[in-house]
Amino acid sequence: MTEDSRAVGAPTLEDVAKAAGVSRATVSRVINGVRNVDPVIQAAVRDAVAVTGYTPNRAARSLVTRKADSIALVVSGAGDDPPPVAATAGGGSGDGGREGAGFDGGVGSFMTDVFGDPFFGRVVTGVVNFLRPRGIHPVLMFAETSRARDEVVSYLRQGSADGALVVSTHAEDPLPALITDAGLPAVLYARPARPVRISYVDLAHQDGARLAAEHLLARGRRRIVTIAGPLDVPAGQDRLAGFRDTMARQGHPYVPVAEGEFTEESGASAMERLLAEQPDLDGVFAANDLMAVGACRVLRERGRRVPEDVAVIGFDDSRAAASCRPPLTTVRQPVEDMAAEMARLLLDRLARPERPVTSVIFEPTLIHRASA
């Protein structure tokens, strides 16, 4: 295939060269980003490209630059079976604070639940909005089994994508280590549960939980409980630790806790257990919005008014927070911005491979609505 293998009548490199008054080879060098081309000539070639409407053939260009101009966006699980409960960043990723459902079926169920989880849509939005203006295209891949993980590593080794953005759905996900051990560029959404030499973006989860505790106390609530996320993942641990620490510093050494799975139904079940333990509770912090929605539903069924009788705070500021009745006060996790930063870190690594791995931690904010 040549660089201007295209439909008859479409502009060619020769057309651009003629319009710019330079050789075909010079046009090719400019289009493929070769350095040491006079800036005046570069400008002339770009003007000629605009005038002629020439579009480089991406496949041919990749043969020259050895770049795929695509990034793999990988949603990964753990083991040979789909994980029993996903802990996805932001509501999710290994985890961040997942907004969606647990992954408890086969491969098809894994994909169905991924597409049904609003967290992943927010990640894709952030990645696409960052990469599209730069002419780079994300390729969505699933790695829910050991075979699928091997395929992802092989795909990257072959140069089919320039690097990977990884969203783990399980604390024991081996894919980040497999990718880094292979020397392949990648960035992870959320701090890995175990040390891996990989760049990542995450949220200051403990600080977010502190905001929730302070707000409930400032509202005069004293019989406060919390619905924790899965405690086998960093975000679930951090949100609970931050909440407990702040409560203790304010003279509340014991906070009843029920563990959920970042799903609405698990939040409802946890609320039932907490009401049985402390019937006169007047404040609830749920470690994500979906669990808070489930808690509000149970409180309504039990005749408890929100926020008059019980104040409820969620985490993530997902679509579920705005659609809840009443709308949820919640701790915002800027998932789209975090996903864009993940993509930026990867492109920076591709441009400067010698740079050490790094982490970027985003700050949470409290979004005040009607529930607390």
Side-chain angles (χ1 to χ4, degrees), residues 272-293:
E272 295 277 9
R273 298 195 297 273
L274 289 167
L275 281 169
E277 177 179 343
Q278 185 163 315
D280 60 346
L281 61 85
D282 63 1
V284 179
F285 167 56
N288 86 332
D289 291 337
L290 284 180
M291 292 194 300
V293 170

Side-chain angles (χ1 to χ4, degrees), residues 6-357:
R6 56 190 74 244
V8 176
T12 65
L13 280 182
E14 284 76 10
D15 295 328
V16 176
K18 183 177 180 179
V22 298
S23 69
R24 183 185 188 282
T26 297
V27 171
S28 181
R29 292 175 67 206
V30 172
I31 289 174
N32 289 311
V34 177
R35 298 183 179 182
N36 302 323
V37 178
D38 186 281
V40 175
I41 294 177
Q42 291 184 39
V45 170
R46 293 192 189 101
D47 289 344
V49 168
V51 169
T52 61
Y54 175 79
T55 303
N57 183 290
R58 182 172 295 276
R61 181 178 176 181
S62 69
L63 294 175
V64 177
T65 64
R66 296 188 178 182
K67 290 184 179 180
D69 285 338
S70 68
I71 297 296
L73 176 55
V74 186
V75 181
S76 180
D80 286 318
D81 298 314
V85 174
T88 15
S93 182
D95 157 88
R98 178 180 143 71
E99 297 172 10
F103 296 94
D104 53 6
V107 174
S109 177
F110 180 87
M111 296 187 190
T112 299
D113 288 334
V114 166
F115 285 123
D117 187 334
F119 163 75
F120 293 104
R122 296 177 67 188
V123 170
V124 171
T125 296
V127 168
V128 170
N129 287 346
F130 183 86
L131 294 180
R132 179 182 289 170
R134 292 161 176 80
I136 300 173
H137 304 279
V139 177
L140 181 61
M141 304 185 74
F142 294 94
E144 74 290 346
T145 65
S146 58
R147 177 178 177 181
R149 286 190 291 276
D150 290 341
E151 291 173 351
V152 168
V153 173
S154 177
Y155 187 83
L156 294 170
R157 282 184 184 277
Q158 294 168 5
S160 299
D162 297 319
L165 303 173
V166 181
V167 180
S168 291
T169 64
H170 197 281
E172 300 301 320
D173 182 11
L175 183 62
L178 290 174
I179 290 176
T180 55
D181 289 347
L184 299 166
V187 178
L188 183 64
Y189 194 113
R191 170 169 57 96
R194 296 180 180 178
V196 179
R197 190 176 294 277
I198 188 171
S199 294
Y200 65 83
V201 301
D202 205 348
L203 187 77
H205 298 285
Q206 291 199 29
D207 290 345
R210 173 181 55 79
L211 294 174
E214 291 175 347
H215 186 77
L216 287 171
L217 291 170
R219 293 287 174 180
R221 308 302 165 132
R222 294 297 180 265
R223 298 177 299 281
I224 300 172
V225 302
T226 183
I227 301 174
L231 297 180
D232 62 342
V233 293
Q237 299 164 6
D238 289 349
R239 293 179 189 182
L240 179 58
F243 192 77
R244 277 177 162 167
D245 180 70
T246 303
M247 293 293 293
R249 289 171 184 267
Q250 298 296 323
H252 298 268
Y254 174 70
V255 178
V257 179
E259 185 178 350
E261 299 175 350
F262 286 135
T263 66
E264 182 176 338
E265 287 307 315
S266 71
S269 298
M271 191 72 261
E272 295 277 9
R273 298 195 297 273
L274 289 167
L275 281 169
E277 177 179 343
Q278 185 163 315
D280 60 346
L281 61 85
D282 63 1
V284 179
F285 167 56
N288 86 332
D289 291 337
L290 284 180
M291 292 194 300
V293 170
C296 287
R297 188 181 79 223
V298 169
L299 289 169
R300 286 195 303 271
E301 292 170 353
R302 295 294 191 89
R304 307 293 180 89
R305 298 170 300 166
V306 177
E308 292 85 355
D309 300 325
V310 182
V312 179
I313 297 180
F315 203 113
D316 285 333
D317 193 26
S318 65
R319 286 177 295 177
S323 61
C324 183
R325 292 296 174 264
L328 276 176
T329 293
T330 185
V331 177
R332 175 166 173 74
Q333 177 171 208
V335 174
E336 294 84 356
D337 293 341
M338 294 168 69
E341 179 64 15
M342 184 168 56
R344 187 196 68 77
L345 288 176
L346 181 58
L347 295 191
D348 187 49
R349 177 71 187 279
L350 292 173
R352 294 182 285 179
E354 73 284 355
R355 292 203 66 182
V357 296

